[in-house]
Amino acid sequence: LRLRGLRRGEREEGGEALYKRQVISLGYLVDLKLRFQQVDTDSAGLLDFAKLKGFCVKRGITNLSDHELRGMIEQVDIDDRGGVDFWGFTAIQVFLGLQLGARGVDLPGWP
């Protein structure tokens, strides 16, 4: 996986445009919100590495190394809170679900 985040104010170029154009249905967002709430066991609104790793193990996601997962967290944690909020979780799920990394698209930060 190639990971590079866009921060606020940066221009998107190349593959990021494809990522930004993905359509997400309301039903998919609701499903993601329910998954996020299941993983967010302390209702902090933030998922740290341990919670996300547990989520991956529970879902059978075995092709993602700890290094790659930490890199994804870093890319979507645009306010440096040390974890992933709902929109960052959504960004990672869409990125993995659509296999955008295999298509040469970087994972930008989700504003």
Side-chain angles (χ1 to χ4, degrees), residues 26-96:
L26 179 58
Y28 185 60
L29 277 176
V30 169
D31 181 58
L32 288 175
K33 183 66 173 178
L34 292 173
R35 283 191 224 170
F36 181 86
Q37 290 173 330
Q38 289 173 346
V39 178
D40 185 19
T41 54
D42 60 1
S43 300
L46 197 68
L47 307 180
D48 61 12
F49 173 80
K51 289 179 185 176
L52 284 170
K53 183 66 177 181
F55 172 79
C56 289
V57 169
K58 186 176 180 180
R59 301 280 301 182
I61 301 170
T62 58
N63 61 341
L64 190 63
S65 72
D66 287 358
H67 177 74
E68 289 171 322
L69 182 58
R70 287 183 197 281
M72 288 182 166
I73 293 169
E74 183 179 306
Q75 294 304 309
V76 298
D77 182 17
I78 60 173
D79 54 5
D80 296 320
R81 292 178 26 187
V84 175
D85 63 10
F86 170 69
W87 292 112
F89 179 78
T90 300
I92 291 172
Q93 292 299 302
V94 171
F95 184 83
L96 294 174

Side-chain angles (χ1 to χ4, degrees), residues 2 4 6 12-24 94-95 98-108 110:
R2 297 178 323 152
R4 183 182 60 78
L6 290 177
E12 65 179 82
E13 298 176 358
E16 285 84 10
L18 172 66
Y19 181 69
K20 296 265 185 174
R21 287 193 310 259
Q22 297 303 319
V23 176
I24 302 172
V94 171
F95 184 83
L98 296 176
Q99 300 178 345
L100 295 178
R103 295 168 61 186
V105 178
D106 293 336
L107 177 65
W110 195 294

